[in-house]
Amino acid sequence: MSNKIVEIHESVIETMGRISSFWGFSKIMGQLYGLLYLSSKPLTLQEMAESLSISKGNVSINIRNLLRWNMVKRVWVKGDRKDYYEAETDFWKIIRGVLREREKKEFSQALSSIGKLRQQTKELKRISKTADIAFTEERLKNLEEFIANMDKMVSVFITLEDLKKNFWDLTKKA
Amino acid sequence: MSNKIVEIHESVIETMGRISSFWGFSKIMGQLYGLLYLSSKPLTLQEMAESLSISKGNVSINIRNLLRWNMVKRVWVKGDRKDYYEAETDFWKIIRGVLREREKKEFSQALSSIGKLRQQTKELKRISKTADIAFTEERLKNLEEFIANMDKMVSVFITLEDLKKNFWDLTKKA
DNA sequence: TTAATCGTTTAGAACAATCTAAATATATAA
DNA sequence: TTATATATTTAGATTGTTCTAAACGATTAA
């Protein structure tokens, strides 16, 4: 590969690293993904470690996280016992997966926490009608409604994207 | 305040801290916001530091960040030289602000980085037509299109929320 | 002006995350 | 089975973040 194209690859990898840490993943995860995304053939742990000048162990744990988020796939190369990896290139599929597992989980957790606490406050209000209990209940009500709405928005997004995907798959088959 | 309601407040504050660090803000920021959100009157630095058992300096820098994101407001209490703070309770307004400043900035930065690199790759392709240059160009094209779409989605969201807000303001005035 | 009361900054401590190199575990081929 | 190639785990080093206590600076009241 020409010098210039190698430079371009490195810049893309750097950018991916920045994006990755911005979204709360590790920098290395983004860089590994960028490396694989720009590679026309699957790569081994060893190759990735050398390309990014990091240890094999570091690649190992970060690749495992990428696998967990379905951002890379492990592929088989016949006659070679090394593991090979390639990038998942369908970004919408990645987003759907991340929203489903990460955001969804966080929203429902927050929703149930706040819901429970609001319930406790309501019960308290039945017993004693003080100003601060009423105030707390009002605030928790608004908070719970907001989180429920965010939760719904994410669900709608996932559903829409799923529909789009299924429709696309159908048109391809037909 | 009763013992029970204090316990509830503490749980909400804890939950807010968790949400905050999940979204890439500091835990203390979330806790401070929670404290103010549940307070029926504005609080001083001193009061917040005592409530959360953290240093005044720590409150100072975290409150400054909350102000930066328009998540809290500084309010004046006549005849008192202390600064008082209260929570911004309009969550959609907060989201709009954060998207506008944080996400927007990140998207346009990524978009311009990748755009430039894609342009360089295109120029390279005019000179020499190797397989890896063509491959790189194809990948960068897809990546750029994806980021542009995300950017558009965020813009649409902000615009819609702004419209909703303006409409609401109008109906209130009428 | 001086004393008192705040808010902010800073130096260093405490803590947490990330990385490497080496050890260990696992899988394949001879 | 044994030897070899590979992946994963781990202990400790490194780095980065966040916190506190104290110093500093600014503002107000006397």
Side-chain angles (χ1 to χ4, degrees):
Chain A
M1 277 202 291
S2 79
N3 234 346
K4 184 61 190 164
I5 200 82
V6 170
E7 265 179 46
I8 291 174
H9 281 211
E10 276 169 7
S11 300
V12 173
I13 288 167
E14 194 192 327
T15 301
M16 295 269 203
R18 215 189 43 235
I19 294 174
S20 180
S21 46
F22 180 81
W23 290 100
F25 299 94
S26 85
K27 191 185 70 181
I28 297 282
M29 269 177 79
Q31 293 183 336
L32 282 172
Y33 180 81
L35 183 62
L36 291 172
Y37 184 72
L38 292 180
S39 171
S40 53
K41 58 177 185 44
L43 301 177
T44 63
L45 280 193
Q46 189 66 44
E47 288 169 318
M48 292 187 271
E50 276 165 21
S51 286
L52 300 182
S53 304
I54 57 177
S55 72
K56 226 168 31 131
N58 199 357
V59 175
S60 179
I61 64 160
N62 279 286
I63 276 287
R64 188 195 304 147
N65 282 326
L66 285 169
L67 282 171
R68 207 166 77 74
W69 295 111
N70 294 308
M71 292 173 75
V72 305
K73 294 178 273 193
R74 215 193 298 254
V75 295
W76 245 79
V77 171
K78 202 175 62 178
D80 196 328
R81 59 205 249 199
K82 295 191 212 69
D83 289 343
Y84 282 82
Y85 298 90
E86 67 180 23
E88 166 62 61
T89 56
D90 184 339
F91 297 117
W92 296 108
K93 187 173 164 188
I94 293 173
I95 298 257
R96 278 202 307 276
V98 172
L99 281 182
R100 222 189 297 266
E101 291 194 27
R102 203 175 86 150
E103 261 65 355
K104 253 311 209 182
K105 200 171 125 197
E106 183 63 16
F107 279 126
S108 55
Q109 198 177 331
L111 204 49
S112 93
S113 297
I114 300 296
K116 271 185 207 128
L117 293 165
R118 187 185 168 197
Q119 204 50 46
Q120 289 176 28
T121 313
K122 273 182 180 165
E123 278 157 29
L124 226 55
K125 208 166 72 172
R126 285 194 306 112
I127 303 161
S128 77
K129 283 198 172 303
T130 68
D132 55 80
I133 293 176
F135 181 83
T136 301
E137 212 285 303
E138 173 68 14
R139 290 272 152 124
L140 290 187
K141 170 173 156 278
N142 289 334
L143 181 57
E144 193 184 3
E145 282 170 1
F146 171 75
I147 298 173
N149 278 326
M150 292 291 287
D151 193 44
K152 265 183 223 145
M153 279 184 47
V154 172
S155 299
V156 168
F157 179 86
I158 292 174
T159 308
L160 279 179
E161 285 299 323
D162 278 346
L163 283 175
K164 269 165 65 178
K165 187 207 175 309
N166 291 334
F167 178 71
W168 180 245
D169 289 353
L170 274 175
T171 55
K172 271 201 300 188
K173 274 186 205 151
Chain B
M1 277 201 292
S2 78
N3 235 347
K4 185 61 189 164
I5 200 82
V6 170
E7 265 179 45
I8 291 174
H9 281 211
E10 276 167 8
S11 301
V12 173
I13 288 166
E14 194 192 326
T15 301
M16 295 269 202
R18 214 189 46 236
I19 295 174
S20 179
S21 45
F22 180 82
W23 291 100
F25 299 94
S26 85
K27 191 184 72 181
I28 298 282
M29 270 177 79
Q31 293 182 337
L32 281 172
Y33 181 81
L35 183 62
L36 291 171
Y37 184 71
L38 291 180
S39 172
S40 54
K41 59 178 185 44
L43 301 178
T44 63
L45 281 193
Q46 189 66 43
E47 289 170 318
M48 292 187 272
E50 277 165 19
S51 284
L52 300 182
S53 305
I54 56 176
S55 72
K56 227 172 25 137
N58 199 355
V59 175
S60 178
I61 64 161
N62 279 287
I63 276 287
R64 190 194 303 148
N65 283 325
L66 285 170
L67 282 171
R68 207 166 76 74
W69 295 112
N70 294 309
M71 292 173 76
V72 306
K73 295 179 273 195
R74 215 193 299 254
V75 295
W76 244 78
V77 171
K78 202 175 63 178
D80 196 329
R81 59 203 248 202
K82 296 191 213 70
D83 289 343
Y84 283 80
Y85 298 90
E86 66 180 23
E88 165 63 60
T89 57
D90 184 340
F91 297 117
W92 296 109
K93 187 172 163 188
I94 294 173
I95 299 258
R96 279 203 306 277
V98 172
L99 281 182
R100 223 188 297 267
E101 291 194 27
R102 204 174 86 149
E103 260 66 354
K104 254 309 210 184
K105 199 171 126 197
E106 182 63 17
F107 279 127
S108 54
Q109 199 177 330
L111 205 49
S112 94
S113 297
I114 299 297
K116 270 184 206 130
L117 293 165
R118 186 184 169 198
Q119 203 51 46
Q120 289 176 28
T121 312
K122 273 184 182 166
E123 278 157 29
L124 226 55
K125 207 167 72 172
R126 284 194 305 111
I127 303 160
S128 77
K129 283 199 171 305
T130 68
D132 55 80
I133 293 176
F135 181 82
T136 302
E137 212 284 305
E138 172 67 14
R139 290 272 152 123
L140 290 187
K141 171 173 155 279
N142 289 334
L143 181 56
E144 193 184 3
E145 282 171 0
F146 171 74
I147 298 174
N149 278 326
M150 292 290 287
D151 193 42
K152 266 183 222 146
M153 279 184 47
V154 172
S155 300
V156 167
F157 178 86
I158 292 174
T159 308
L160 278 179
E161 285 299 322
D162 279 347
L163 283 174
K164 269 165 64 178
K165 186 205 176 309
N166 290 334
F167 178 71
W168 180 246
D169 289 353
L170 275 174
T171 56
K172 272 202 299 191
K173 272 183 203 150

